[in-house]
Amino acid sequence: QVQLVESGGGLVQPGGSLRLSCAVSGLSLDLYAIGWFRQAPGKEREGVICISASDGTVGYIDSVKGRFTISRDNAKNTIYLQMNNLKPEDTAVYYCAADYDYYCSIYRPDDYDYWGQGTQVTVSS
């Protein structure tokens, strides 16, 4: 049984930071590419950032460049999303997802085999 459980979301002021965690069970994390996606009310799901299983290469959308970083701790079966300098437009439910592949893409959500239920991030003053 595979489970992905996000945590760490909450309310933060613009310019603030949050670190999201995705605890994974039921799979060997080192064999999976990991992506973070988000969905705001009334908007389509958007790929944000991902990390490959093979060499740790990262893909991300331009809007989060320099602000968001993704990392993985295979020993802890946990993926992290560090979000700095948060903006109101970052407000969304954030989902982590695992793809049984060495390589990741933020543009192919259908490639991902397992998904968490999401954690709410709200950026507001």
Side-chain angles (χ1 to χ4, degrees):
Q1 183 177 355
V2 175
Q3 290 185 331
L4 283 72
V5 180
E6 301 95 337
S7 63
L11 175 64
V12 64
Q13 294 182 344
S17 298
L18 286 173
R19 188 176 75 159
L20 306 184
S21 298
C22 177
V24 178
S25 61
L27 59 81
S28 181
L29 189 58
D30 62 333
L31 300 178
Y32 286 77
I34 302 297
W36 286 94
F37 298 79
R38 65 188 181 188
Q39 188 166 23
K43 295 185 177 180
E44 296 182 353
R45 182 175 55 186
E46 176 186 36
V48 179
I49 192 167
C50 68
I51 185 168
S52 71
S54 57
D55 59 4
T57 55
V58 175
Y60 48 82
I61 55 175
D62 288 342
S63 63
V64 306
K65 183 178 181 180
R67 301 191 298 121
F68 289 15
T69 58
I70 186 172
S71 62
R72 65 197 300 152
D73 188 333
N74 291 342
K76 296 182 179 180
N77 263 23
T78 302
I79 307 99
Y80 302 99
L81 176 61
Q82 179 67 46
M83 304 185 294
N84 298 325
N85 191 23
L86 283 160
K87 302 177 179 181
E89 53 263 41
D90 296 318
T91 296
V93 176
Y94 283 72
Y95 302 88
C96 65
D99 174 18
Y100 186 56
D101 199 347
Y102 289 114
Y103 308 103
C104 77
S105 174
I106 58 173
Y107 303 111
R108 299 196 299 269
D110 290 345
D111 287 354
Y112 289 81
D113 302 291
Y114 305 104
W115 292 78
Q117 295 191 25
T119 186
Q120 177 71 49
V121 172
T122 302
V123 184
S124 176
S125 59

